[in-house]
Amino acid sequence: MSKTSSTSKMPSYMSKTIVRRGIGDRTIRFKCSLQNTILDVLRGRGWQEVVGDGEWDFYWCDREWLKENYDHIYLPEYAKICHFRNHFELTRKNLMVKNLKRIRKQTEREQGKLEAQAYDFYPTTYELPSEYHIFVEEFKKNPGIVWIMKPIAKSQGKGIFLFRKLKDITDWKKGEYQREPDPNKEIPETYVVQRYIENPYLIGGRKFDIRVYVLVMSYVPLKVWLYRGGFARFSNTRFSLNSIDDAYVHLTNVAIQKTAPDYDPEKGCKWSLQQLRKYLMARHGIELVRKMLNMIDDIFIKSLHSVQKVMINDKHCFEMYGYDILLDKNLKPWLIEVNASPSLTASSKEDYDLKYGLLDDVLNVIDLENRLTGKEKHIGGFDLIWDDGPVMADEGNMDCMSSAAFTSNSFLGCHCDRKRQLKQLYKTLQSAKKT
């Protein structure tokens, strides 16, 4: 879905005078490797699009370009690029778990088992074929349970399947553990195998997961922004463990669900996070939902801390992660995966509006126009939740949970009139400069 013609008008909370003041007295130059919502947003800011090998100030690149070019280019002081060099430490499924396991062991060694349990927010996971023999030991301890297989570097549900029997994954036996390894047999693609969460929270009998957007501007020090908007993605078919081969039951990816015979493209399979929050509060009350949201925030920060020491920090880089969270029937959140390139292609008008606002606010936080002071806690739909330590909400700004005990600067699923917030923010900044 593209709306370039209708969105090329500059947002009302900005002026060309301010925009062109970002880098000297000239218009900001951008490159973009994608032909979807982000291109509309970049063009809509009045920036100059660079084609070919021209010089740029901002580049929304793909991961392949980054891998091939990052180590061989010179970036000016002000230039920004949308990935960290080794983003895969968090976004490749096997490396994410490896880093989480490492920090859990470190925490247990330094602080004890009780503190280490705070990292028990991801399912039991092994890498295959390298950990096949270890997995088999675990498998035999828990006969009859369901496991899920996922290729480490694919997205949109590709290659995923569920199983209960070892014979279903014999292709992933590691050669050195076989009695008679076959040198002619091709080594299988690397997968992770995870204990399947058999008790997901259901709404209308259907499983769902939650997509949340987290913006990291720096790893040293760690600076994290959380977007209020997001969505819950529902399966198209009622949940049942009697049909583990049915992807429409168990996989919530839109790429999978839209191929269902009875999929309705107008209705879709999404709720906004605001809808989901209101539903859960009506069912379970403020306190339980607050506890759940705090646990989700904790997942963001702990997962980012797990890669903080291995991530190549660069002032030119930022990352907008797409976190996928699953709730079980006890409202315990589980980290499923983290995406370095969450889909920016819209599936409906509502989805387009969400992603347009999200991406516009990513650029507002990055602030190439040099309008901000650097001390802001709220920019559009983004709230600063970590700035080398937890960020507390300002008094009187708890507009989502009606309790003074809710003090962190996190408002996931809360209403936000982002355009009004930005207009007021920039008006205040301009007034401060005049005085």
Side-chain angles (χ1 to χ4, degrees), residues 115-157:
E115 290 295 326
Q117 287 175 6
Y119 286 89
D120 292 342
F121 51 73
Y122 59 96
T124 301
T125 306
Y126 300 94
E127 180 181 318
L128 300 185
S130 63
E131 296 181 325
Y132 181 85
H133 65 302
I134 305 175
F135 164 67
V136 170
E137 292 178 10
E138 181 69 22
F139 181 90
K140 291 178 179 178
K141 292 178 186 176
N142 300 279
I145 70 169
V146 180
W147 296 83
I148 185 168
M149 287 280 283
K150 304 175 183 179
I152 63 167
K154 290 183 178 177
S155 59
Q156 298 183 326

Side-chain angles (χ1 to χ4, degrees), residues 384-402:
L384 183 64
I385 63 170
W386 194 271
D387 190 6
D388 204 20
V391 178
M392 298 294 105
D394 295 327
E395 188 175 350
N397 199 27
M398 299 169 202
D399 55 355
C400 190
M401 297 286 190
S402 55

Side-chain angles (χ1 to χ4, degrees), residues 158-182:
K158 296 185 182 76
I160 296 178
F161 64 92
L162 280 63
F163 70 96
R164 283 195 177 99
K165 299 177 181 179
L166 277 177
K167 68 179 181 64
D168 294 330
I169 61 163
T170 53
D171 286 347
W172 282 270
K173 280 186 178 179
K174 192 176 181 184
E176 64 184 84
Y177 298 114
Q178 296 180 35
R179 292 181 181 178
E180 297 180 6
D182 184 355

Side-chain angles (χ1 to χ4, degrees), residues 4-20 27 40-48 356 360 364 369 371 419:
T4 304
S5 60
S6 63
T7 56
S8 59
K9 184 180 178 181
M10 193 174 301
S12 60
Y13 50 82
M14 300 170 66
S15 71
K16 287 191 176 182
T17 306
I18 295 176
V19 172
R20 291 173 185 259
T27 303
D40 293 350
V41 172
L42 290 164
R43 287 173 174 170
R45 293 178 79 87
W47 293 1
Q48 177 184 340
Y356 193 99
D360 198 34
N364 290 329
E369 297 90 353
R371 293 166 292 172
K419 291 183 179 180

